[in-house]
């Protein structure tokens, strides 16, 4: 079975990976000494932090961990207790390995040291040919120094790139894409509840991570308060995270999922990324929207567009905290409703769902995707939500359009598109219409049909011809009066009331409209023709 790690490649722009004991032993200079591993062969992948030449019997007290110790053992010859203690002290100091040059002190591998090293799990390597230790230390130290320099250089390169994006006002996604490019692995941003707010990286690899995100999050942070995680999620496996926060408060995390480079370099990348994300949030990127809002907007927009199959978006929805197993989904589109207000109302009513502004056209459209338990009454809860919204918003123009409830996730995109179609069909004349609390497809009648046909050239030509007397003069006031008059079923009293004019003033405007259009609005067929043309015109303008 292919794992997430199998899908990832070592970052092309990352410093070369650190040297392990196995890799040091494979160096050409070392091979000249005919190395032989006589103990601890199962631990050759330990990383070498430094190379230390030492003959002192108590060398362990001088080490910090990760060193490969080179010795001839001249001070240990003839004293088996010293030999065993030497190995134990290196083990306690967490040395990476010990290399013993055979010669006068030890013409053959000493059994005491070999047995002690095997018990401790410390690689013990002997060199059968005389070998200048200085060459090995020079080779390894120069490689380690180059790696550290390359890591710092990469860190500064990432910081510069991210700072440039922030300065240019780039959205969060642009920053994450840059981080994913440098790390060559999926990048995930979560809140403190482990809900995924944003992702970046190769789509298939990201989906693999999100598909099992609940288990990963539970194992990675449920038991380990430190930096590293588990779950196919320890730092040793490339699962590296950095905390997001400021002024003594944490509010999220960024996770590199399956980073294949050096762990230290991965930590540098994660730290640079965290610094940039904190700065981006402090500066109010993406027009001041929270990351939770941006996450919901991205998911709902992708569902609405249909560009990405709904099945592929299911892991994102689940990782974002939306219940998806055995649920009923109710797609809604709200006109003239603030996303923050709608989100607050959902929490107040104890409903689960996603809320986000859609369209990006400033038309006040907000999508709401409710996720209800199968035994809940979807219609009743939707009606209750809409009624509370109207009561608390005190806005007559607020429209709640809904599609029929869906029990299959794959049907959600079509439901969202249906809800948006309904909302658009009644948007221009909502105050004049006697609409139910929740508007559905069956409530839009002719408006819905005309909106579907709005791009037909014959319909466009018809609308232009019928309304030419008003459109050519760009008289928006008369057009608005006509729209209200027809939407109210030619109710003059209601029209005058909605436009805050007297009845005589309304009569004069209606006379002007009829004169310019050359129609008699008291004639049903002529009024119907003008009404259809106006509906088509409004749909085209939208």
């Amino acid at each position: 079975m292919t794992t997430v790690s199998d899908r990832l490649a070592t970052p092309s722009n990352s410093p070369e990976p650190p040297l392990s004991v196995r890799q040091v032993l494979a160096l050409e200079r070392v091979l000249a000494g005919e190395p032989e591993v006589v103990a601890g062969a199962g631990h050759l992948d330990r990383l070498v932090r430094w190379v230390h030449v030492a003959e002192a019997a108590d060398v362990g007290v001088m080490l910090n961990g990760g060193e490969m110790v080179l010795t001839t053992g001249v001070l240990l010859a003839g004293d088996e207790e010293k030999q065993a203690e030497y190995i134990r002290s290196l083990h306690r100091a967490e040395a990476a390995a010990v290399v013993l040059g055979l010669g006068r002190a030890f013409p053959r591998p000493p059994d005491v040291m070999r047995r002690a090293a095997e018990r401790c799990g410390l690689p013990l390597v002997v060199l059968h040919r005389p070998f200048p230790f200085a060459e090995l230390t020079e080779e390894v130290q120069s490689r380690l120094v180059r790696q550290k320099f390359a890591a710092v250089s990469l860190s500064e390169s990432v910081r510069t790139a991210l700072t440039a994006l922030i300065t240019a006002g780039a959205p969060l996604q642009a920053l994450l894409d840059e981080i994913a490019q440098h790390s060559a692995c999926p990048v995930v941003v979560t809140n403190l509840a482990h809900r995924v707010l944003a992702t970046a990286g190769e789509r298939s690899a990201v989906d693999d991570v999100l598909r099992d995100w609940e288990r990963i999050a539970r194992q990675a942070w449920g038991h380990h308060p430190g930096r590293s995680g588990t779950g196919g999620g320890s730092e040793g496996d490339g699962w590296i995270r950095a905390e997001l926060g400021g002024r003594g408060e944490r509010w999220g995390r960024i996770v590199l999922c399956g980073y294949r480079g050096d762990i230290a370099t991965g930590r540098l990348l994660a730290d640079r990324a965290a610094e940039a994300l904190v700065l981006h949030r402090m500066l109010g990127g993406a027009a001041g929207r929270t990351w939770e809002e941006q996450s919901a907007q991205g998911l709902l927009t992708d569902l609405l567009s249909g560009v990405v199959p709904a099945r592929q978006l299911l892991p994102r929805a689940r990782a974002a905290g939306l219940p998806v197993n055995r649920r009923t989904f109710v797609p809604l589109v709200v006109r003239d409703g603030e996303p923050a207000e709608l989100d607050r109302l959902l929490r107040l009513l104890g409903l689960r769902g996603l809320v986000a502004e859609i369209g990006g056209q400033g038309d006040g459209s907000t999508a709401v995707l409710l996720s209800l338990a199968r035994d809940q009454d979807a219609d009743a809860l939707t009606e209750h939500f809409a009624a509370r919204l109207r009561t608390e918003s005190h806005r007559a123009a607020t429209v709640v359009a809904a599609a029929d409830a869906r029990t299959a996730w794959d049907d959600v995109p079509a439901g969202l598109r249906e809800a948006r179609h309904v909302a658009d069909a009644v948007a221009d004349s909502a105050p004049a219409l006697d609409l139910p609390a929740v508007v559905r497809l069956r409530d839009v009648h002719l408006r819905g049909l005309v909106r579907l046909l709005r791009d037909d050239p014959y319909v466009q030509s018809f609308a232009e011809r019928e309304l030419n007397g008003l459109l050519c003069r760009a008289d928006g006031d008369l057009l608005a009066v006509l729209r209200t008059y027809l939407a109210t079923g030619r109710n003059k009293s209601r029209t005058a009331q909605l436009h805050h004019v007297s009845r005589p003033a309304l009569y004069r405007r209606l006379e002007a409209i009829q004169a310019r259009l050359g129609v008699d609005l008291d004639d049903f067929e002529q009024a119907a023709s003008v009404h259809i043309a106006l509906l088509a015109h409004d749909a085209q303008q939208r």
Side-chain angles (χ1 to χ4, degrees):
M1 178 179 175
T2 301
T3 65
V4 175
S5 297
D6 294 333
R7 309 183 72 104
L8 307 175
T10 301
S12 59
N13 56 352
S14 172
E16 58 184 274
L19 289 173
S20 65
V21 174
R22 187 188 309 278
Q23 290 168 320
V24 170
L25 297 180
L27 294 176
E28 186 175 349
R29 290 186 178 183
V30 180
L31 291 175
E34 296 183 7
E36 178 189 0
V37 180
V38 297
H43 303 275
L44 296 182
D45 290 322
R46 286 180 176 176
L47 299 183
V48 176
R49 187 183 62 81
W50 206 244
V51 176
H52 194 72
V53 180
E55 297 295 350
D58 59 348
V59 66
V61 299
M62 309 175 191
L63 305 180
N64 292 320
E67 294 90 350
M68 175 179 276
V69 178
L70 312 180
T71 183
T72 62
V74 65
L75 300 181
L76 303 174
D79 190 331
E80 293 187 349
E81 179 55 35
K82 274 189 177 182
Q83 296 170 21
E85 176 56 28
Y86 181 80
I87 295 295
R88 289 193 294 267
S89 68
L90 291 180
H91 170 64
R92 290 193 296 270
E94 299 182 349
V98 58
V99 177
L100 176 65
L102 299 182
R104 285 183 300 173
F106 292 102
R108 64 182 61 83
D111 287 339
V112 173
M113 294 180 69
R114 182 182 56 78
R115 288 194 298 270
E118 195 64 51
R119 283 194 298 271
C120 293
L122 177 69
L124 172 61
V125 182
V126 296
L127 300 175
H128 289 278
R129 293 176 63 86
F131 181 81
F133 287 167
E135 291 187 9
L136 175 58
T137 57
E138 179 183 10
E139 174 84 10
V140 176
Q141 312 298 46
S142 63
R143 286 175 179 255
L144 294 175
V145 169
R146 287 199 303 271
Q147 287 171 0
K148 290 184 178 181
F149 177 79
V152 172
S153 178
L154 175 62
S155 171
E156 289 307 307
S157 174
V158 172
R159 174 181 281 161
T160 300
L162 295 177
T163 301
L165 288 172
I166 294 172
T167 304
L172 171 65
Q173 190 60 52
L175 273 68
L176 294 182
D177 289 341
E178 184 74 19
I179 297 164
Q181 182 178 354
H182 282 282
S183 62
C185 69
V187 176
V188 176
V189 174
T190 77
N191 61 16
L192 293 181
H194 314 311
R195 299 305 183 192
V196 175
L197 306 180
T199 63
E202 181 190 350
R203 189 72 264 160
S204 57
V206 171
D207 287 345
D208 283 343
V209 171
L210 296 185
R211 193 171 292 114
D212 205 22
W213 182 253
E214 290 185 7
R215 182 183 66 83
I216 290 172
R218 183 173 59 254
Q219 292 184 0
W221 299 298
H223 309 292
H224 302 278
R227 286 181 58 120
S228 61
T230 60
S234 68
E235 279 197 343
D237 293 330
W239 294 76
I240 301 170
R241 83 176 195 253
E243 302 296 330
L244 303 175
R247 299 175 181 174
E249 179 183 8
R250 291 186 301 114
W251 36 260
R253 300 179 179 90
I254 181 169
V255 189
L256 307 185
C257 304
Y259 180 74
R260 296 294 293 275
D262 172 26
I263 292 177
T265 303
R267 289 174 181 166
L268 274 176
L269 282 174
D271 288 342
R272 293 297 83 77
E275 291 172 3
L277 297 187
V278 170
L279 180 59
H280 181 273
R281 178 164 171 141
M282 289 175 59
L283 295 177
R289 294 194 305 273
T290 67
W291 290 354
E292 286 82 359
E293 291 169 345
Q294 294 179 56
S295 173
Q297 184 180 47
L299 178 57
L300 289 175
T301 299
D302 285 347
L303 281 169
L304 193 56
S305 69
V307 174
V308 181
R311 182 58 51 182
Q312 293 183 21
L313 297 173
L314 189 59
R316 281 175 59 187
R318 183 183 291 112
L322 184 74
V324 295
N325 295 330
R326 297 189 57 79
R327 304 290 287 187
T328 297
F329 303 101
V330 182
L332 307 174
V333 170
V334 180
R335 282 297 179 85
D336 199 24
E338 293 294 329
E341 176 184 33
L342 298 174
D343 192 53
R344 182 191 61 80
L345 183 57
L346 285 184
R347 292 196 300 271
L348 181 65
L349 298 177
L351 299 176
R352 302 292 296 276
L354 294 176
V355 179
E357 184 179 353
I358 56 173
Q361 303 297 324
D363 58 7
S365 295
T366 301
V368 181
L369 180 59
L370 297 180
S371 174
L372 308 174
R374 290 283 176 88
D375 58 354
Q376 291 181 292
D377 189 331
D379 289 344
L381 286 173
T382 305
E383 294 281 345
H384 182 54
F385 171 78
R388 285 290 296 269
L389 178 60
R390 282 194 171 183
T391 300
E392 296 189 12
S393 68
H394 304 293
R395 291 191 294 270
T398 299
V399 173
V400 178
D404 292 336
R406 265 69 172 165
T407 56
W409 175 257
D410 287 344
D411 295 334
V412 168
L416 283 169
R417 289 191 287 272
E418 179 183 315
R420 184 172 65 174
H421 165 71
V422 172
D424 287 348
V426 300
D428 293 305
S429 302
L433 299 172
D434 186 18
L435 296 173
V438 179
V439 187
R440 301 183 183 275
L441 190 59
R442 60 178 176 269
D443 300 314
V444 297
H445 306 296
L446 180 62
R447 293 173 177 275
L449 175 63
V450 171
R451 187 176 181 279
L452 291 176
L453 300 174
R454 68 189 183 279
D455 293 327
D456 188 289
Y458 291 106
V459 174
Q460 294 174 358
S461 177
F462 168 75
E464 291 287 330
R465 185 172 61 252
E466 289 290 302
L467 301 174
N468 184 57
L470 290 179
L471 298 180
C472 66
R473 303 190 185 194
D475 197 331
D477 182 58
L478 290 182
L479 203 62
V481 169
L482 175 63
R483 183 181 294 111
T484 303
Y485 179 63
L486 295 174
T488 59
R490 296 182 292 176
N491 186 321
K492 294 181 176 66
S493 297
R494 178 65 174 154
T495 302
Q497 179 185 11
L498 289 173
H499 284 272
H500 307 289
V501 298
S502 64
R503 289 283 292 269
L506 175 66
Y507 294 156
R508 288 193 295 271
R509 295 183 187 186
L510 290 176
E511 289 171 359
I513 292 171
Q514 293 181 102
R516 293 185 183 183
L517 297 181
V519 298
D520 179 5
L521 292 179
D522 289 329
D523 181 89
F524 176 77
E525 184 174 340
Q526 294 183 52
S529 181
V530 172
H531 193 188
I532 293 172
L534 184 57
L535 292 176
H537 168 74
D538 289 343
Q540 292 160 16
Q541 295 302 305
R542 299 203 61 79

